Amino acid sequence: MMDYALLLRTFLLRSAKYFAKKEIVSVYPDSVFRYTYGDYYKRVCQLAHALKSLGIGRGDRVASVALNDHRHLELYFGVPCYGAVLHTVNFRLPQNHLVYIINHAEDQVLFVDADLLIFVELVKDQLKTVKKIVVLSQTGKMPETSLENVVLYDDLIKDFPEEYDFPIDLDENAPAVMCYTSATTGDPKGVMYSHRAIVLHSYAVAVTLGASEADCILHIVPMFHANAWCAPFAAVGAGCKQVLPGREVINMEKLCRTIAEEKVTFTAGVPTIWMLLYDYLEKGGWHDFSSFKTIVSGGAALPKKLLIEFNEKYNFPIKQAYGSTETTPLATAAIPKSYMTDWSDEDLYDLRCSVGLIALGLELKIVNDAGNEVKMDGKEWGEIWLRGPWIANEYYKDPERSAQTFIDGWFHTGDVGTIDDEGYVRLVDRTKDLVKSAGEWISSVDLENTIMSHPKVMEAAIIGVPHPKWQERPLACVTASPGETVSADELKAFLKDKVQAAYWIPDDFIFLPEIPKTSVGKFNKRELRRLYAEGQLISKS
Amino acid sequence: MMDYALLLRTFLLRSAKYFAKKEIVSVYPDSVFRYTYGDYYKRVCQLAHALKSLGIGRGDRVASVALNDHRHLELYFGVPCYGAVLHTVNFRLPQNHLVYIINHAEDQVLFVDADLLIFVELVKDQLKTVKKIVVLSQTGKMPETSLENVVLYDDLIKDFPEEYDFPIDLDENAPAVMCYTSATTGDPKGVMYSHRAIVLHSYAVAVTLGASEADCILHIVPMFHANAWCAPFAAVGAGCKQVLPGREVINMEKLCRTIAEEKVTFTAGVPTIWMLLYDYLEKGGWHDFSSFKTIVSGGAALPKKLLIEFNEKYNFPIKQAYGSTETTPLATAAIPKSYMTDWSDEDLYDLRCSVGLIALGLELKIVNDAGNEVKMDGKEWGEIWLRGPWIANEYYKDPERSAQTFIDGWFHTGDVGTIDDEGYVRLVDRTKDLVKSAGEWISSVDLENTIMSHPKVMEAAIIGVPHPKWQERPLACVTASPGETVSADELKAFLKDKVQAAYWIPDDFIFLPEIPKTSVGKFNKRELRRLYAEGQLISKS
């Protein structure tokens, strides 16, 4: 068989040649921009020439500090197909981390949204490798800035030819994209994605989630967060229409209008967004979801009641999936098997609240403390291990933390889970978030979900706190649903016949107007633990 | 990213672990056998132990001489996952070719259907490398045979453990399967398929044709012919129910009963089978096609009128696809794009009679005599070239013919075609079957399709025959529809306003009860040319 490298080039050329009429749409606060894959390809070619003119070499890193729009999508293919590496910067990180990742990746050029320049301005004096700032602007105007050596993206590329001979002699294992995962302790950890990994992941996304050319994909996940779950790569390969909502992604009315007008069939996002959407819908917000086929939720567990209500009240069929920055990210998805069609609604909802079955091409095992694979009984807990061609084998230039996580060819996810007799995985906790009370493990995720199933509760986060007798006890941090109040006694009574054992019921409940979140929308338990340690975690309801 | 090889092992383990309840069904003349992927896996493990006991080493070839059933499917995974190479022997080849391919592949063991032993018995004294014959028998009885060193498959494997530690350290480029393509001149040419090629092809089949776990796949294409188009590999990876009809594949009543009873959703086959089926249906044969989602036709052009009638009269939605033994085989498929839904029926049928768009992951170009890529105008002719990770780069141990076909990294298919502005490819001819009359090319495929659109014509094959004035002229060999007669004058009048130019109309029409076919069901033009040269091609209507 031919020694033909799996490269993003093949995806790019295919969409340019065969799907030249299909649309890419950017939604801005005051306008909508649309062009075709035919137009897109020309600008990607111009970008490749521009990278050459800037002296960027093979394997060099260039970074984007940008929201979801067509210029960012041009970088997604232009940079790796040229042979360089696109570092998608999460500008929401704390400043010291932002500086760390740009310096650690040795980014040569930053492509920055005009609206996000402030994030770069604040740290500019600490950046050691950046030679040039390219401003992505939809208005065509250069904003005022304290930065030097700045050029408008459209000006940079406009005079270059609209054809480029993208190299076919790249190694498929060469890096294409990189991003950093926000570590809960220490500096962020970088993950390099090869062309091969992204190509194979794209096939897996299409096969697992049933995505095809007929889909119109709305990218809710930020392109600066785990590369929008690498969905833009799969979408270009398949020739899907793509809708990029930029900062309008948190404007639920605009998002719902866009879904209806562009006839969106496929989207993916984190529970934070679904909660915003749910709130909008509950207030009677206008929507028309009739075009939807597939909605994927990941990044954190979606409370079961929300999943059910989305389905039954709003015909919004959310599916759960699971993965992480280290897994490109698709690892599992909760798609029922064909013979489960006659299952009861309750059983099917239970299954859809799992994170699902392993994707075709990966291997998963769940390993208990004794180092043995757990039984497929849906009960025994263990740490989830993954291996496969789109799973990372190291953190970039970080041998010490790599050695703790990537062991004997398996990625130790740090997630604790179970696997049932059909192969569906359920998350129990992060290994470090498990609460150990009197020698028995308590799952914070289970407990959170049970508390969140109370009608008056919006969000609940559990942390373990030291206890003189039981070593550790669960502490519940709770946010009531809008307009509701709820008491600790009410919740204790509610939990009584719902938890695995009486010792699971938290002794204390703290009521907060909001649970602190990480930059990617997960419950920030590190912050909760810090507040608790400093004696600041007190009810503010 | 992990250096994780793309191996069939991953597919096998996935179906065993996660789809253990799904069925595999073998249909025999007097019985139906069914078991699950759970059972299947145990026997595949036993087979691996048996291969070891026979002294088979990594890369050694073992051959199957078998129809489509579950034992053959066990070989499909057991042999390559063990690390050896399965040579699927086309026993319909002429005896000298059968001997050639077994000796050329250096097959160590032959796994032979009890009913097909005669094919081996006839050539046994000429086989140079075969040490052992293993008989695949559903009755459990050893048939009488003149062969020596013979054992029943079920006896061979039965005492081995039902677990096997399939190697993960195989190179993904290691050969997994091989077969020989029936060359029109000279000896058959061998193609080796790597694990990597089959894994990637399987993803492409699923993505291109929309196959998934929910599908029940009926394997009509023989597993000894281009590995049943490698569909069994994709099916095991996805966990599809599979139905293997053995010799009952040509029993149209049984086939239709099976389709209805097993609720088949997906199948693929050559026009020869569709013609048999059409004939059965036209005679009022019982059928229920309500379960079908996807039916793929390939190997030769399906006449347009048949495609339309299957759709409109029988709700049997055939799609065309294109490929060859050298392309694993899926290269293109005639799937309309999403924005074509408002096209007229006529335009859509015209599109569905193309061979379609290139599959995700391959590159195609059509190159004219001057060596330039043809325009995407649906008119200009050229030879179809392909490259990609599941395209062969050589014929096995045949450097001379390899060099003629695999040139500068492209597979020169020998097929002449056009490509339209949407990227859909239409076949014009085989390069060697084009007719050149007075310096102008005539497409035998176009001419055949036009003649076959006549209601009284069942099949038509065109060959070029020498002509003193025009160098070459097309000769039409025609088979009338059952119960019909048709004359040369009728056909000439019919063609008058349908062909590209008057000189396309054949001067002569030969009426035959049947067009000779190759072992894989294509019109045997070499035989027609031989008969013509020997003065034997005369009307027998």
Side-chain angles (χ1 to χ4, degrees), chain A residues 407-470:
Chain A
I407 303 164
D408 293 338
W410 288 88
F411 166 43
H412 292 224
T413 63
D415 289 315
V416 178
T418 64
I419 182 165
D420 69 18
D421 59 347
E422 292 285 358
Y424 288 76
V425 174
R426 284 171 182 77
L427 296 185
V428 171
D429 222 323
R430 292 288 298 167
T431 46
K432 65 185 178 342
D433 290 340
L434 280 170
V435 179
K436 196 163 196 175
S437 179
E440 299 289 339
W441 291 111
I442 296 172
S443 156
S444 68
V445 172
D446 266 12
L447 199 48
E448 287 161 1
N449 282 336
T450 310
I451 298 174
M452 285 193 282
S453 73
H454 189 286
K456 291 183 182 171
V457 172
M458 171 94 155
E459 290 179 338
I462 299 290
I463 55 169
V465 297
H467 189 278
K469 182 165 177 193
W470 311 118

Side-chain angles (χ1 to χ4, degrees), chain B residues 473-524:
Chain B
R473 287 293 297 151
L475 172 72
C477 304
V478 175
T479 304
S481 296
E484 300 284 357
T485 53
V486 60
S487 70
D489 287 344
E490 259 179 289
L491 291 177
K492 284 183 187 177
F494 177 75
L495 292 176
K496 210 167 170 186
D497 58 354
K498 292 187 180 64
V499 292
Q500 291 195 15
Y503 67 84
W504 278 47
I505 300 176
D507 307 319
D508 289 318
F509 289 78
I510 304 284
F511 295 94
L512 301 171
E514 192 175 10
I515 309 286
K517 308 256 172 29
T518 67
S519 66
V520 296
K522 299 185 191 191
F523 292 147
N524 190 338

Side-chain angles (χ1 to χ4, degrees), chain A residues 307-325:
Chain A
L307 189 145
I308 295 176
E309 294 219 345
F310 263 123
N311 266 271
E312 303 201 342
K313 282 171 79 170
Y314 299 111
N315 193 26
F316 192 79
I318 297 191
K319 292 177 169 73
Q320 287 217 111
Y322 163 71
S324 66
T325 304

Side-chain angles (χ1 to χ4, degrees), chain B residues 284-337:
Chain B
W286 186 90
H287 64 283
D288 173 0
F289 296 148
S290 57
S291 55
F292 265 122
K293 250 177 44 191
T294 305
I295 300 150
V296 180
S297 180
L302 186 70
K304 185 171 179 178
K305 74 170 177 185
L306 215 59
L307 188 146
I308 295 176
E309 296 219 343
F310 264 123
N311 265 270
E312 303 203 340
K313 281 172 78 169
Y314 299 110
N315 192 25
F316 193 79
I318 298 190
K319 292 177 170 70
Q320 288 217 111
Y322 163 71
S324 66
T325 303
E326 294 86 345
T327 67
T328 309
L330 182 68
T332 68
I335 316 288
K337 298 177 192 174

Side-chain angles (χ1 to χ4, degrees), chain B residues 25 61 136 214 363 381 390 529:
Chain B
V25 181
R61 272 79 61 207
L136 307 166
E363 287 183 73
W381 292 0
W390 58 91
R529 287 190 197 99

